[in-house]
Amino acid sequence: MMGPAHSLSGAAAWLGVGAAAAAWGYSMPWPVLVVGALICAGAALAPDLDHKSATISRAFGPVSRLLCEIVDKLSYAVYQATRSAGDPRRSGGHRTLTHTWVWAVLVGAGCSAAAIWGGRWAVLAILFVHLVLAVEGLLWRAARVSSDVLVWLLGATSAWILAGVLDQPGNGSNWLFTEPGQEYLWLGLPIVLGALVHDIGDALTISGCPILWPIPIGRKRWYPIGPPKFMRFRAGSWVEMKVLMPVFMLAGGVGGAAALGFI
């Protein structure tokens, strides 16, 4: 799928988690619901860090472009080192390592660890990166005609304000993980979810997605998971724009209302 649909699906997924958490007695304070949805929307763009033409490659100027090149080469090297006899030859690393559950879990766990051990500045950095990506995905038309610096300033300002809101007693810095020193441990959850939602979205397209690597399926270790081929679509097609995106918006609205106790 394309960036806007990925981000919208990420936000909707977190709002759905908020509804489920409320039903199970772990209601999210509204700042956790809002910040988690924005982080998840941003994280849903991150697996395309292996593609030099993706939204994330442009989001942070030369830094993200360089990082995309490094991740693409790393992903290709891992593919070459682990592919089975049934896996095809490739010329690049797109839709390999960063499109797996392993990557999603490692990145989410790394961000949670950074939030715990790195303190406030690590939390601000995590929020900044994902809020910039959320703006690029959810407000992509406005972001593309705006200066990168303006988008970065919006991300930095929003990160500072939202961190301050979360730090207030009862606003959710210690949501779900309540022991002293576990503030913001939950930040990894929307990051994992966003990456997995991205992978599931890509699995719906013609190429499929190797979400289950390194678990072998048949003769392939990088098996492209997906529905039957007649149910798949091309990225950016009318199915994505006219069907899936309105569904994501409706699902997110219902999930958010349920999470906040309105329905």
Side-chain angles (χ1 to χ4, degrees):
M1 291 197 297
M2 304 298 286
H6 278 310
S7 283
L8 196 55
S9 67
W14 184 256
L15 294 171
V17 168
W24 293 336
Y26 295 96
S27 296
M28 297 178 185
W30 70 265
V32 173
L33 188 69
V34 172
V35 172
L38 291 172
I39 291 175
C40 202
L45 294 181
D48 278 342
L49 196 57
D50 60 4
H51 196 303
K52 65 181 181 180
S53 298
T55 300
I56 190 172
S57 73
R58 302 187 300 270
F60 300 97
V63 174
S64 52
R65 285 193 291 271
L66 175 61
L67 188 57
C68 281
E69 292 182 13
I70 293 171
V71 172
D72 177 45
K73 289 179 170 59
L74 172 64
S75 298
Y76 179 68
V78 172
Y79 180 86
Q80 289 293 92
T82 63
R83 74 184 186 95
S84 300
D87 292 311
R89 294 186 179 277
R90 300 178 59 99
S91 58
H94 182 49
R95 283 204 188 183
T96 55
L97 179 62
T98 62
H99 288 67
T100 66
W101 70 270
V102 174
W103 178 272
V105 171
L106 288 177
V107 172
C111 287
S112 285
I116 293 297
W117 293 323
R120 181 173 179 78
W121 288 108
V123 170
L124 288 171
I126 293 167
L127 290 176
F128 168 72
V129 168
H130 289 91
L131 289 174
V132 168
L133 292 177
V135 170
E136 293 282 356
L138 297 174
L139 304 176
W140 64 280
R141 290 185 186 277
R144 287 193 175 182
V145 298
S146 300
S147 163
D148 286 342
V149 175
L150 289 178
V151 175
W152 299 340
L153 286 173
L154 177 60
T157 303
S158 300
W160 187 270
I161 293 171
L162 291 172
V165 172
L166 285 167
D167 282 340
Q168 296 299 314
N171 276 2
S173 63
N174 62 344
W175 174 72
L176 199 60
F177 303 96
T178 58
E179 295 298 319
Q182 293 184 344
E183 292 82 5
Y184 292 106
L185 183 59
W186 62 269
L187 281 185
L189 299 179
I191 293 171
V192 173
L193 180 62
L196 292 177
V197 167
H198 177 110
D199 297 344
I200 293 170
D202 278 355
L204 299 176
T205 63
I206 290 174
S207 300
C209 187
I211 304 172
L212 297 181
W213 177 87
I215 301 171
I217 300 177
R219 298 175 62 247
K220 295 183 177 182
R221 193 173 297 276
W222 295 88
Y223 187 88
I225 298 294
K229 290 195 174 180
F230 74 90
M231 297 176 64
R232 303 186 190 189
F233 56 87
R234 292 188 181 278
S237 69
W238 67 271
V239 175
E240 179 179 330
M241 307 302 293
K242 303 296 185 182
V243 178
L244 291 182
M245 289 186 67
V247 168
F248 295 151
M249 286 189 280
L250 178 61
V254 172
L260 294 172
F262 292 118
I263 58 174

